[in-house]
Amino acid sequence: MTGDLDPFKIFLELQLGLPRNGPGSAASTARAFAMLPGLREDARILDIGCGQGASTFELLRLTRGHVTAVDLFEPFLDKLAARAERARIGEDRLTIKRGDMAALPFHDGEFDLVWSEGAIYLVGFETGLRLWRRLVKPGGFVAVTECTWLTDAPAAEAMAFWNDAYPGMGTVAENGAAAERAGYEIIGTFTLPQEDWWAEYYTSMRVRIAEMRATYGAAAESVLAAEEAEIALIENNPGQYSYVFYVMRRGD
Ligand code: SAH
């Protein structure tokens, strides 16, 4: 080995080996979806930061509508496309598109519902909600998950980690106020259960970390150790923060 490998390549390889790329579950997607009052059966849905399609395929199962899945990185979209092909889901139900969530190539009001799990933090909660508002019809819906403080007084260790990793992280009340400022009404929120961190995410990530450490050794260590620190943080600070689903209506 000659020095460190490209950290982003290591991160991608780690993430591509996981069933999903952030905390969540089919049950939580379905629970949020059930909170939408009067969504049309043939809804047009946009899944932003779809990754390999954890929520995309669940949305296709929950509706008879059309889902457009968008992500910035081709390797995720390739995996999503392969899965769609295996499931025989055609273009009548699914469009896969590469795009940047900060500059999405869609018309105003093109969608009945915008969905995004574990991705809005990449532009920031309020900024993302402001950017995406125009994409839904007046009265349309936006549902996102966002890592959220569950306490007003976090432990020093958790605060230090998140002040560095995501300084914009808010409480449910702060994010609710941000959503209102951005032009939405909150229909409801719920905290994802602890098992949503583990079953399809951190448990698999630990296995991948061990495999990749065996393959790459010290050259990948900085990325792998950072992921391990993130996993240890939630073990040491249960109940201080979690992902929260925010289900909203565009207010007009
Ligand atoms: N929704 C998926 C993936 C969440 S991880 C899941 O729950 O499993 C965040 C995703 O956002 C990754 O797939 C990453 O490739 C994508 N992403 C990162 N920056 C982006 C950007 N600027 N625009 C669109 N997608 C982006």
Side-chain angles (χ1 to χ4, degrees), residues 150-204:
L150 302 179
T151 167
D152 291 325
E157 184 194 18
M159 200 140 73
F161 179 91
W162 287 112
N163 278 347
D164 181 44
Y166 186 35
M169 193 159 112
T171 60
V172 176
E174 285 164 355
N175 287 336
E180 281 173 19
R181 283 196 299 274
Y184 298 85
E185 298 159 19
I186 297 272
I187 294 170
T189 68
F190 65 91
T191 303
L192 270 58
Q194 281 296 309
E195 72 205 53
D196 279 14
W197 287 87
W198 295 99
E200 294 184 358
Y201 194 50
Y202 280 163
T203 302
S204 322

Side-chain angles (χ1 to χ4, degrees), residues 8 11-12 15 18-25 29 47-56 70-77 97-104 115-123 132 145 200-201 243:
F8 185 66
F11 177 75
L12 261 189
Q15 287 288 338
L18 307 178
R20 57 189 308 135
N21 303 108
S25 63
T29 300
D47 187 357
I48 301 177
C50 57
Q52 303 169 56
S55 54
T56 313
V70 176
D71 202 278
L72 188 59
F73 295 109
E74 295 281 4
F76 289 105
L77 295 174
K97 208 172 166 83
R98 180 168 179 270
D100 181 352
M101 65 173 77
L104 289 167
W115 202 269
S116 183
E117 295 195 25
I120 197 171
Y121 77 92
L122 291 156
V123 281
W132 302 345
T145 64
E200 294 184 358
Y201 194 50
Y243 266 81

Side-chain angles (χ1 to χ4, degrees), residues 11-159:
F11 177 75
L12 261 189
E13 189 176 330
L14 175 67
Q15 287 288 338
L16 283 167
L18 307 178
R20 57 189 308 135
N21 303 108
S25 63
S28 292
T29 300
R31 181 174 168 193
F33 186 83
M35 290 162 70
L36 301 172
L39 182 75
R40 23 185 316 165
E41 279 257 306
D42 60 347
R44 297 197 70 84
I45 303 170
L46 177 64
D47 187 357
I48 301 177
C50 57
Q52 303 169 56
S55 54
T56 313
F57 291 98
E58 194 55 23
L59 290 166
L60 284 164
R61 205 180 61 75
L62 290 164
T63 68
R64 287 200 236 141
H66 186 98
V67 179
T68 301
V70 176
D71 202 278
L72 188 59
F73 295 109
E74 295 281 4
F76 289 105
L77 295 174
D78 291 346
K79 285 201 110 179
L80 193 155
R83 185 170 161 192
E85 204 176 314
R86 282 197 301 277
R88 295 182 198 287
I89 295 167
E91 285 170 14
D92 55 323
R93 298 224 51 215
L94 174 64
T95 301
I96 303 171
K97 208 172 166 83
R98 180 168 179 270
D100 181 352
M101 65 173 77
L104 289 167
F106 303 109
H107 300 296
D108 290 357
E110 212 175 310
F111 299 97
D112 299 290
L113 168 63
V114 166
W115 202 269
S116 183
E117 295 195 25
I120 197 171
Y121 77 92
L122 291 156
V123 281
F125 186 78
E126 186 168 345
T127 302
L129 291 183
R130 284 184 190 280
L131 287 168
W132 302 345
R133 186 175 184 276
R134 69 169 187 87
L135 300 172
V136 284
K137 297 184 174 73
F141 304 108
V142 174
V144 304
T145 64
E146 165 80 336
C147 198
T148 301
W149 287 116
L150 302 179
T151 167
D152 291 325
E157 184 194 18
M159 200 140 73

